[in-house]
């Protein structure tokens, strides 16, 4: 008997919470673990996400009288996927630049009058080989992020996307103080 058959889920949780939660765990956690692993997480990450989801599910079902229109597994997977995406976004914002990326800073020439017009590629080259390769591959050669992820040995496309975004932000910071006149001949 699955957890959605027989008694309503709320009645099952109120009657025998421990057994009901064990069944939910046995039926749902393997899918959550697989999803989190496929999207760059560990078993511990999956446990943390599932723990948060099961608490949310329990509170909504028992205390808020939520009536499910889908199976418990589908509902919990939805919660877990959203929580894991939020965690990945939070981690992407917190991940530090590597030492070589952090050391790269653009210094503007001192004499503005005699200076030749700047080329954007000058700034791209100062970002380092990895950023240069990613940005040129994506914007100049039009490669898909799947190709770039494979080319750079990233575990998934999301990692390549995050790295491209970091490189682009560094480039924006480097040229942010300049006007179009700096690039005109």
């Amino acid at each position: 008997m699955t957890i959605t058959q027989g008694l309503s889920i709320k009645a099952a949780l109120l009657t025998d919470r421990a057994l009901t939660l064990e069944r939910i765990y046995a039926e749902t956690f393997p899918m959550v673990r697989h999803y989190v692993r496929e999207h760059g997480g560990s078993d511990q990450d999956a446990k943390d996400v599932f723990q948060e989801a099961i608490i949310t599910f329990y509170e909504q079902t028992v205390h808020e009288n939520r009536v499910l229109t889908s199976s418990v597994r589908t509902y919990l997977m939805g919660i877990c996927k959203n929580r894991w995406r939020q965690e990945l976004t939070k981690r992407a914002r917190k991940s530090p630049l590597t030492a070589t990326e952090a050391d790269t800073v653009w210094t503007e020439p001192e004499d503005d009058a005699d200076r030749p017009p700047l080329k954007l590629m000058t700034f791209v080259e100062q970002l380092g080989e990895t950023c240069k390769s990613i940005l040129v591959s994506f914007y100049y050669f039009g490669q898909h992020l799947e190709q770039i992820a494979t080319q750079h040995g990233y575990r998934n496309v999301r990692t390549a996307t995050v790295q491209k975004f970091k490189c682009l932000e560094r480039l924006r910071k480097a040229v942010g103080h300049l006007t179009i006149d700096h690039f005109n001949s």
Side-chain angles (χ1 to χ4, degrees):
M1 179 164 108
T2 64
I3 52 179
T4 56
Q5 294 175 338
L7 297 172
S8 76
I9 192 65
K10 180 177 180 178
L13 285 169
L14 292 174
T15 305
D16 191 354
R17 180 179 63 199
L19 179 63
T20 304
L21 290 176
E22 284 176 20
R23 287 182 178 164
I24 291 171
Y25 181 88
E27 290 183 18
T28 310
F29 182 71
M31 294 185 303
V32 172
R33 181 178 52 220
H34 177 75
Y35 178 83
V36 171
R37 280 182 180 168
E38 288 293 312
H39 292 88
S42 65
D43 284 351
Q44 186 59 48
D45 293 329
K47 288 176 185 176
D48 293 343
V49 166
F50 189 75
Q51 181 70 29
E52 292 173 15
I54 202 79
I55 290 168
T56 301
F57 165 75
Y58 181 83
E59 289 174 349
Q60 288 178 346
T61 304
V62 173
H63 300 297
E64 297 176 16
N65 293 319
R66 178 170 304 263
V67 177
L68 293 179
T69 57
S70 64
S71 72
V72 173
R73 281 184 288 195
T74 302
Y75 186 73
L76 279 169
M77 275 303 295
I79 294 173
C80 290
K81 285 180 178 182
N82 287 331
R83 295 218 184 229
W84 184 242
R85 283 188 209 114
Q86 291 169 353
E87 178 64 25
L88 287 175
T89 302
K90 187 168 72 174
R91 288 180 182 184
R93 278 190 244 126
K94 288 183 177 179
S95 67
L97 296 174
T98 63
T100 56
E101 292 172 337
D103 292 340
T104 305
V105 178
W106 170 256
T107 55
E108 192 168 351
E110 292 148 17
D111 188 9
D112 285 351
D114 296 331
R115 150 189 95 179
L118 297 173
K119 296 196 184 298
L120 185 59
M121 199 59 190
T122 306
F123 292 94
V124 173
E125 288 176 1
Q126 291 185 355
L127 296 176
E129 282 303 312
T130 303
C131 280
K132 176 184 170 186
S133 175
I134 290 171
L135 294 176
V136 169
S137 296
F138 186 79
Y139 290 105
Y140 185 75
F141 293 113
Q143 288 183 347
H144 295 284
L145 285 169
E146 292 86 5
Q147 288 175 289
I148 295 171
T150 303
Q151 183 181 14
H152 290 275
Y154 296 131
R155 290 196 312 167
N156 55 43
V157 175
R158 176 74 178 137
T159 306
T161 303
V162 169
Q163 188 62 40
K164 180 184 74 94
F165 177 77
K166 287 180 188 177
C167 293
L168 204 51
E169 283 301 305
R170 289 185 42 227
L171 182 60
R172 283 187 185 123
K173 286 179 183 176
V175 299
H177 67 286
L178 301 173
T179 65
I180 193 69
D181 295 332
H182 286 96
F183 295 98
N184 290 336
S185 47

